[in-house]
Amino acid sequence: MLDPGIKPSSIVAYLDQYVIGQDAAKKTVAVAVYSHYRKLARSERDHTRITKSNVLLIGSSGTGKTLLCDTLSRILDVPFVTAEATSLAQTRYVNEEIEAILQRLLDKANGDVAKAQHGIVYIDEIDKLKADGQPRGTSGESVQHALLKIMEGAPVKLGGQYIDTTNVLFICGGAFVGLSEIMAQTHGYGFVSISSDDNQKILDRLNSRVKPTDLFTFGLIPEFTGRLPIVAHFEDLTRKMLVRIMIEPKDSIYNQFRDIFATESVGLTIEPKVFDQIAEVAFEYKTGARSLRGIFEELITPILYLIPDDPSIQKVTITSLFADPTLERHTKS
Ligand SMILES: Nc1ncnc2c1ncn2[C@@H]1O[C@H](COP(=O)(O)OP(=O)(O)O)[C@@H](O)[C@H]1O
Ligand SMILES: [Mg+2]
């Protein structure tokens, strides 16, 4: 199951290497995963059933929800698969589609049913299963019912064998556009008299808590929200965070391009101002960190085009998004 040496803090430390910010969400997810496997271990010893706490990730598009889950899957030694709620809603064969997800989980476990039954399933874009309007395919609401069944725990037949989803941990993610407006209307903790900053903090926290009724108003059926008791919030990315995302992660865009240049024996330096400019443009696009790579590639592509033809280029320095790069060449001697 989970490596006994893993603690919530070590999960967060690993996530920190790849996911910028989102400290609260990282902690929430780390503790949820840790407790889940603790409970499982005990239930196996005592032969009891566990009360499972699945997790809901809420945050704008491009703020790192999928990235966090992908990264998490690399540190946990459990089978982990990702599925898109939207593709479940686009098919008329929801149950076949769900079976396919569990089949992938089983494949990740190398066919070991017991191992697959302790896996994690991440379902992205869960907010697209709103109970209204889905012109083609299956209605969002019936997809929720189908998912509910496996989240609660059900034996699912795959080929000749059954896989029981009772102990599979489900993480669902979505942007939930419009949820904050719903919350603003329904949250009424403000009338409590406030005597200190601490109380204000408690109030803020209560007011920022998503209530099951808010998710219901949004369009998730009550039984479904009831199966997602843990909610982790992702903050919108600031310009500063966008800059850090380009530079700091182990596999950051900057590091990736420096590696590509290095294979051509060319040094690449991008001055800090350029990252600020890119962050500014990306911020305007309002797609979180998603647009960073595109802007970056547009900047770098013309240079990458030149380099293989000109072995004398030794170093490239970019000083502005709006100026030609400075090229340093070997001096012929
Ligand atoms: N907090 C973050 N830290 C580092 N990179 C991020 C972060 N948020 C987004 N990104 C970058 O943007 C891309 C898209 O983010 P993703 O996790 O798919 O967003 P979503 O929240 O919509 O699932 C990621 O692959 C990653 O490169
Ligand atoms: Mg996503």
Side-chain angles (χ1 to χ4, degrees), residues 18-20 22 60-67 237 245 249 289-290:
Y18 299 92
V19 184
I20 298 295
Q22 313 303 8
S60 305
S61 162
T63 52
K65 300 182 296 295
T66 304
L67 175 71
L237 302 175
I245 286 171
R290 282 190 191 190

Side-chain angles (χ1 to χ4, degrees), residues 269-301:
T269 304
I270 299 178
E271 295 193 343
K273 182 179 138 201
V274 182
F275 292 110
D276 291 338
Q277 292 171 328
I278 296 176
E280 190 60 46
V281 176
F283 192 80
E284 293 303 320
Y285 286 164
K286 295 190 171 57
T287 51
R290 282 190 191 190
S291 45
L292 292 176
R293 177 168 294 273
I295 303 169
F296 220 90
E297 299 214 349
E298 253 172 63
L299 175 70
I300 301 278
T301 302

Side-chain angles (χ1 to χ4, degrees), residues 140-157:
E141 194 174 335
S142 17
V143 177
Q144 288 184 51
H145 279 290
L147 282 175
L148 183 63
K149 221 182 285 171
I150 57 162
M151 282 164 69
E152 287 177 333
V156 177
K157 197 167 183 213

Side-chain angles (χ1 to χ4, degrees), residues 10-49:
S10 52
I11 296 176
V12 169
Y14 184 77
L15 293 174
D16 280 341
Q17 296 182 305
Y18 299 92
V19 184
I20 298 295
Q22 313 303 8
D23 296 344
K26 282 172 182 162
K27 277 189 193 157
T28 303
V29 171
V31 171
V33 167
Y34 175 80
S35 324
H36 177 70
Y37 286 102
R38 272 292 163 110
K39 281 195 261 178
L40 273 189
R42 198 173 61 210
S43 81
E44 290 205 333
R45 257 196 337 263
D46 307 347
H47 306 284
T48 51
R49 265 182 83 95

Side-chain angles (χ1 to χ4, degrees), residues 34-323:
Y34 175 80
S35 324
H36 177 70
Y37 286 102
R38 272 292 163 110
K39 281 195 261 178
L40 273 189
R42 198 173 61 210
S43 81
E44 290 205 333
R45 257 196 337 263
D46 307 347
H47 306 284
T48 51
R49 265 182 83 95
I50 67 160
T51 320
K52 184 168 58 174
S53 297
N54 300 307
V55 184
L56 177 61
L57 312 181
I58 297 181
S60 305
S61 162
T63 52
K65 300 182 296 295
T66 304
L67 175 71
L68 185 141
C69 286
D70 286 343
T71 312
L72 186 65
S73 76
R74 281 186 274 142
I75 188 181
L76 304 176
D77 187 24
V78 300
F80 195 116
V81 292
T82 300
E84 299 274 335
T86 35
S87 63
L88 289 174
Q90 276 155 7
T91 173
R92 285 191 295 144
Y93 308 101
V94 182
N95 288 320
E96 281 86 341
E97 215 32 47
I98 287 177
E99 282 164 25
I101 296 169
L102 295 172
Q103 181 63 51
R104 277 196 284 131
L105 191 66
L106 186 57
D107 293 343
K108 284 274 173 76
N110 296 318
D112 183 337
V113 173
K115 215 173 159 198
Q117 292 181 156
H118 288 164
I120 298 180
V121 174
Y122 175 58
I123 304 170
D124 214 348
E125 309 211 42
I126 203 79
D127 53 331
K128 303 284 157 59
L129 299 180
K130 268 163 81 131
D132 59 348
Q134 209 89 36
R136 267 183 293 276
T138 310
S139 78
E141 194 174 335
S142 17
V143 177
Q144 288 184 51
H145 279 290
L147 282 175
L148 183 63
K149 221 182 285 171
I150 57 162
M151 282 164 69
E152 287 177 333
V156 177
K157 197 167 183 213
L158 297 177
Q161 52 199 346
Y162 282 92
I163 159 165
D164 188 320
T165 59
T166 306
N167 291 336
V168 170
L169 183 67
F170 288 85
I171 303 177
C172 296
F176 290 88
V177 175
L179 186 66
S180 46
E181 284 75 11
I182 292 171
M183 286 170 63
Q185 280 174 11
T186 62
H187 286 239
Y189 296 110
F191 55 81
V192 183
S193 73
I194 297 160
S195 52
S196 74
D197 280 2
D198 264 4
N199 283 347
Q200 183 61 52
K201 264 187 206 148
I202 294 167
L203 278 184
D204 287 347
R205 202 154 72 216
L206 282 174
N207 279 324
S208 68
R209 259 195 101 243
V210 178
K211 291 186 291 184
T213 47
D214 298 330
L215 295 169
F216 175 61
T217 309
F218 181 85
L220 295 188
I221 58 173
E223 301 89 323
F224 194 78
T225 62
R227 286 284 154 186
L228 296 163
I230 301 178
V231 178
H233 286 273
F234 282 64
E235 308 156 49
D236 284 347
L237 302 175
T238 60
R239 293 173 182 79
K240 263 204 184 111
M241 284 162 89
L242 290 170
V243 168
R244 291 181 56 202
I245 286 171
M246 285 183 272
I247 302 169
E248 287 178 25
K250 272 192 164 175
D251 54 353
S252 73
I253 308 179
Y254 190 22
N255 286 340
Q256 284 176 24
F257 277 104
R258 280 216 285 219
D259 286 347
I260 296 174
F261 276 64
T263 63
E264 305 273 356
S265 305
V266 176
L268 172 68
T269 304
I270 299 178
E271 295 193 343
K273 182 179 138 201
V274 182
F275 292 110
D276 291 338
Q277 292 171 328
I278 296 176
E280 190 60 46
V281 176
F283 192 80
E284 293 303 320
Y285 286 164
K286 295 190 171 57
T287 51
R290 282 190 191 190
S291 45
L292 292 176
R293 177 168 294 273
I295 303 169
F296 220 90
E297 299 214 349
E298 253 172 63
L299 175 70
I300 301 278
T301 302
I303 311 165
L304 271 179
Y305 183 80
L306 289 179
I307 284 175
D309 287 335
D310 189 347
S312 71
I313 299 174
Q314 192 181 14
K315 192 168 180 290
V316 175
T317 306
I318 302 176
T319 55
S320 164
L321 192 54
F322 310 104

